[in-house]
Amino acid sequence: GRRAYAPPAERKRFYQNVSISQGEGGFEINLDHRKLKTPQAKLFTVPSEALAIAVATEWDSQKDTIKFYTMHLTTLCNTALDNPTQRNKTQLIRAAVKFLETDTVCYRVEEPPALAELQKNEWDPVVAWAEKRYNVTIGSSTSILGPNIPASTKETFVSHLASYNMWALQGIEFVITQLKSLILSMSLIDRHITVEKAVLLSRLEEEYQIRRWGNVEWAHDYDLCELRARTAAGTLFVHLCSESSTVKHKLLQD
Amino acid sequence: MAALGAPLRTLRALLRELRHAAGRSYRDSPAYRHVLAAFRAHRVRAEKLCRAQQELHFQAATYLCLLRSVREHEALHREYHGKGERSAQEVAGLVGFRLPQQPGGKG
């Protein structure tokens, strides 16, 4: 189950040196003389050197205790290697595209007018961008059922996502579940907006409510930082697993 | 392409975050060397950027966001989840008690 796959929240740092080595399957992480393994005890191997460096940095930045909840790139690699939910490429793509039916930027309110206006001003441009970039119809809706997404639109996104390898797809699906929007995720992955902007757009209603009613300050910043960290990690992961120098690697031949 | 500002500014901020993460030997860290080498290789400057340079800049800005957000998140976590973890002795002391000393340890 999902809970069985989660590592302990923290544990003492048990290694002095972190290094990277290149094995048959790709780049490996060494904690002193020990090779890092995944939660399912597989050898931790990544197809991209830059990704390995970033993962090594996560491990080397830990001070007295290892804070697994901050090690997002390591977690993403573990998911790609273990595939704990046992989904194949088709299933991953289907899950990603399904999000379009409940895409944050397509669901509009009518009340209050100030929020409706804010959604229109902030979200219309990114929907328009996606429609133009992918040559599809998406639209938006104030209906509780959300917008009616044409089958051809879904097919276009299915086709587009199929061009990504399995590792990158895990990353894309992760970003989509964090932002609760396929459109914002594609906009981010296509480098049309920054992570900060994507997160802001994803949290538009929360930000509006906070400005209206005030907030428990630290709780807001806490959620915001966590969402930014996860979204940034997912985006970086996708790009590092998609680079042509990386794609040649055996690990990504699917 | 997203509006990212000046590439060298992103680079400086990213290197600062890496220094923070790595500690004293930051200059030798693989990440620090890799980032510098990538920027030098692509000669990222303030002028009009070619696509590869823009992609590198976007990647650097994303990595910067990751490092910065993790640091901020951790600081908030420490501040609001870390405190209040007192030992039994401290708690007893708070209300004016002392823990009993049992010969041979706890039963």
Side-chain angles (χ1 to χ4, degrees):
Chain A
R2 221 188 160 86
R3 212 152 22 121
Y5 190 68
E10 289 188 15
R11 123 169 225 200
K12 275 196 156 47
R13 178 167 172 154
F14 58 87
Y15 48 91
Q16 267 227 346
N17 296 308
V18 182
S19 62
I20 298 160
S21 52
Q22 191 165 6
E24 258 189 36
F27 297 89
E28 299 158 6
I29 309 288
N30 306 299
L31 305 175
D32 289 331
H33 58 275
R34 282 167 285 243
K35 290 210 177 290
L36 179 62
K37 301 260 167 63
T38 69
Q40 286 179 7
K42 294 191 187 127
L43 180 64
F44 188 99
T45 329
V46 300
S48 150
E49 186 177 14
L51 181 54
I53 290 171
V55 168
T57 305
E58 281 186 342
W59 285 88
D60 212 16
S61 338
Q62 303 307 310
K63 307 281 189 278
D64 304 312
T65 55
I66 304 169
K67 296 175 164 52
F68 292 106
Y69 64 86
T70 65
M71 300 165 76
H72 305 292
L73 291 172
T74 300
T75 305
L76 282 161
C77 292
N78 281 334
T79 303
L81 287 163
D82 286 345
N83 194 10
T85 60
Q86 293 292 296
R87 286 181 296 183
N88 62 28
K89 197 166 168 176
T90 307
Q91 288 168 320
L92 260 184
I93 292 171
R94 202 187 303 144
V97 175
K98 192 154 172 60
F99 247 97
L100 203 45
E101 296 166 17
T102 54
D103 206 299
T104 296
V105 300
C106 297
Y107 260 86
R108 306 300 175 88
V109 300
E110 284 178 300
E111 294 291 324
L115 179 55
E117 179 82 15
L118 188 65
Q119 290 182 339
K120 182 168 169 287
N121 292 334
E122 297 297 325
W123 288 347
D124 278 0
V126 72
V127 173
W129 168 85
E131 287 181 329
K132 183 170 175 210
R133 159 87 176 78
Y134 291 96
N135 196 27
V136 292
T137 303
I138 299 169
S140 61
S141 171
T142 52
S143 155
I144 197 159
L145 298 174
N148 197 9
I149 310 282
S152 56
T153 298
K154 292 183 194 173
E155 271 151 38
T156 301
F157 282 111
V158 166
S159 191
H160 176 72
L161 290 177
S163 69
Y164 285 92
N165 62 57
M166 194 61 178
W167 279 61
L169 264 176
Q170 297 271 16
I172 292 172
E173 201 255 352
F174 177 73
V175 172
I176 292 172
T177 55
Q178 293 305 306
L179 294 176
K180 301 192 173 30
S181 166
L182 170 68
I183 294 169
L184 287 178
S185 303
M186 294 324 298
S187 186
L188 179 52
I189 284 155
D190 289 350
R191 303 182 185 84
H192 177 66
I193 54 176
T194 61
V195 170
E196 288 90 342
K197 181 82 193 248
V199 166
L200 183 65
L201 291 177
S202 174
R203 290 172 47 92
L204 197 67
E205 183 158 356
E206 278 112 308
E207 294 299 321
Y208 170 79
Q209 301 296 358
I210 284 160
R211 240 162 272 182
R212 271 305 257 115
W213 305 108
N215 66 301
V216 180
E217 195 184 287
W218 65 264
H220 160 252
D221 289 345
Y222 185 87
D223 289 342
L224 185 61
C225 288
E226 184 169 38
L227 184 57
R228 272 190 189 153
R230 288 178 173 180
T231 305
T235 305
L236 190 61
F237 184 82
V238 172
H239 288 152
L240 291 177
C241 294
S242 316
E243 285 180 333
S244 53
S245 56
T246 309
V247 170
K248 284 193 203 87
H249 204 284
K250 250 191 297 194
L251 257 180
L252 297 176
Q253 306 304 328
D254 52 18
Chain B
M1 177 59 74
L4 292 169
L8 288 181
R9 190 141 155 256
T10 305
L11 174 62
R12 266 197 293 270
L14 176 53
L15 293 179
R16 242 193 332 261
E17 286 293 335
L18 285 170
R19 258 163 44 199
H20 203 278
R24 221 173 303 156
S25 58
Y26 68 90
R27 260 190 278 256
D28 295 327
S29 76
Y32 199 87
R33 287 202 310 255
H34 182 92
V35 166
L36 266 179
F39 268 75
R40 280 194 195 113
H42 283 85
R43 280 282 179 258
V44 182
R45 299 273 185 263
E47 303 91 48
K48 188 154 169 68
L49 302 178
C50 79
R51 189 173 172 169
Q53 290 171 336
Q54 286 181 327
E55 288 182 1
L56 174 64
H57 188 194
F58 189 90
Q59 212 171 85
T62 303
Y63 193 29
L64 169 60
C65 182
L66 171 58
L67 292 174
R68 199 182 256 164
S69 305
V70 162
R71 182 169 54 78
E72 290 170 354
H73 178 233
E74 210 184 318
L76 285 167
H77 190 92
R78 261 200 314 272
E79 182 86 13
Y80 296 106
H81 290 253
K83 286 191 185 152
E85 262 150 35
R86 298 186 174 91
S87 68
Q89 213 160 21
E90 287 176 296
V91 172
L94 278 179
V95 292
F97 294 132
R98 274 193 307 168
L99 289 178
Q101 309 288 331
Q102 284 183 310
K106 293 182 192 153

